[in-house]
Amino acid sequence: MEIITTIHEMQKTTLSLKSQGKRIAFVPTMGYLHAGHASLLREGRQQGDILVLSIFVNPIQFGQNEDLDRYPRNLEGDCHIAGECGVDIVFTPDAAAMYGNGFQTKVQVGQLTLPLCGASRPGHFDGVATVVNKLFNIVQPDVALFGNKDYQQLAVIKRMTADLNLPVKVVGMPIIREADGLAMSSRNAYLSPAERLSGLCLSKAILKVRESYASGICDAALLKNIALNLIEAEPEVVLDYLDFRDVTTLEAVDKATANTLLAMAVKIGTTRLIDNTILGEEF
Ligand code: AMP
């Protein structure tokens, strides 16, 4: 496994691989890898001749009072997991090189970035779209894998890729959870044991809504109350949003169907957690 830290070296490598006709699979991450990332890497291993993992804590997708400075990092541990998943190249550029002197370009996706996390984190998806576009240009993947865990991010990247005619197949992958239901996230490392227990209300709310929907309840307001009851029972948990949305447009819906996304975000102490489910898909 090769570790590349400069953009120039990565581009040179990409060019050489492309000229040999290699199919590049790419998994962009912010590191501190867990089993969710590993599932993307294992699928990437199947889909490409060469598997590239990027580890880059992207400063421009963090708001001013967010957790950029304390975001967990562990390159050694990440390389160990990457090796186990068959990664060929780990690309870890530094922020100064990615956003050098005079940087002033931004990729902005429209409507899809406005609700949900976009409403609570202004500018976040501009930062995501910009960095993913840059990484696509540097790595030139044939296929890139993203998790449904960040469902709105995946929708934004799919939109950007189509709108800008980027020659990349974007693949969404299922959410990987801990045995007790908590969606895996690098940010789970921030949680105290008590906070982690409270955080289970997200997956509990999802399961309860799925059960209610399966029993015939389709009214989104009713389903929302069912979920809120579980979340509000946890005093440490502060709700950011809990919404029923169309899976494609992310517009709010009154009636839940198989194509409805239930998406939620909460704060527990200083940690922001998100989770979601698509009612017509498996948990
Ligand atoms: P991050 O390092 O948090 O930026 O995530 C990198 C990629 O891993 C994104 O495409 C995420 O959606 C995906 N990911 C993060 N957590 C999970 C999870 N629990 N299950 C599946 N994919 C995940």
Side-chain angles (χ1 to χ4, degrees):
M1 191 171 76
E2 192 180 353
I3 299 179
I4 297 181
T5 57
T6 71
I7 295 168
H8 176 72
E9 188 62 27
M10 188 66 234
Q11 280 181 316
K12 221 172 73 182
T13 305
T14 295
L15 224 61
S16 152
L17 291 167
K18 287 274 173 195
S19 72
Q20 297 164 49
K22 300 285 191 202
R23 180 175 164 82
I24 300 178
F26 179 43
V27 177
T29 76
M30 298 205 298
Y32 213 70
L33 302 186
H34 50 66
H37 299 113
S39 79
L40 272 52
L41 291 170
R42 294 215 164 88
E43 181 60 24
R45 183 65 280 165
Q46 299 300 313
Q47 296 213 14
D49 303 315
I50 297 291
L51 176 58
V52 180
L53 159 71
S54 68
I55 297 176
F56 179 60
V57 181
N58 176 35
I60 69 165
Q61 73 185 66
F62 286 79
Q64 278 210 328
N65 297 314
E66 294 185 357
D67 55 341
L68 173 62
D69 291 338
R70 67 169 184 146
Y71 197 84
R73 290 165 167 87
N74 179 5
L75 185 60
E76 204 183 311
D78 289 350
C79 286
H80 180 74
I81 294 174
E84 284 183 337
C85 295
V87 169
D88 297 298
I89 298 170
V90 180
F91 176 50
T92 62
D94 70 41
M98 287 291 273
Y99 303 109
N101 264 349
F103 186 89
Q104 53 183 286
T105 302
K106 137 171 121 182
V107 180
Q108 191 166 48
V109 178
Q111 210 69 17
L112 282 176
T113 66
L114 301 180
L116 306 173
C117 288
S120 333
R121 305 184 69 188
H124 169 67
F125 288 115
D126 296 351
V128 168
T130 303
V131 80
V132 171
N133 204 307
K134 282 169 70 70
L135 290 168
F136 279 4
N137 287 329
I138 297 166
V139 175
Q140 295 191 32
D142 296 277
V143 56
L145 300 102
F146 295 86
N148 284 342
K149 160 83 181 358
D150 301 271
Y151 188 84
Q152 188 176 16
Q153 166 175 284
L154 173 62
V156 167
I157 289 164
K158 280 185 172 163
R159 187 72 262 159
M160 172 190 78
T161 305
D163 289 353
L164 300 181
N165 308 103
L166 305 179
V168 184
K169 180 179 156 204
V170 174
V171 175
M173 295 286 294
I175 300 174
I176 304 296
R177 297 175 180 280
E178 303 282 0
D180 58 10
L182 186 71
M184 291 202 179
S185 165
S186 307
R187 288 189 168 97
N188 291 350
Y190 298 145
L191 299 171
S192 71
E195 289 174 335
R196 197 192 167 291
L197 265 182
S198 312
L200 290 180
C201 69
L202 292 178
S203 53
K204 281 186 192 152
I206 284 177
L207 284 169
K208 188 78 187 161
V209 165
R210 291 178 62 91
E211 189 188 304
S212 308
Y213 171 72
S215 77
I217 302 176
C218 297
D219 183 73
L222 207 59
L223 290 170
K224 182 166 178 165
N225 275 333
I226 290 169
L228 286 181
N229 277 339
L230 284 164
I231 289 175
E232 285 165 359
E234 294 295 336
E236 281 189 82
V237 177
V238 178
L239 184 72
D240 177 355
Y241 65 76
L242 190 152
D243 273 353
F244 290 83
R245 302 257 163 184
D246 177 84
V247 282
T248 311
T249 63
L250 299 187
E251 279 165 14
V253 297
D254 296 332
K255 264 206 149 0
T257 70
N259 287 326
T260 297
L261 169 79
L262 162 58
M264 56 184 83
V266 300
K267 254 195 147 169
I268 307 180
T270 54
T271 306
R272 190 170 185 278
L273 295 183
I274 58 173
D275 203 347
N276 73 76
T277 194
I278 295 171
L279 296 179
E281 292 185 7
E282 276 179 31
F283 176 66

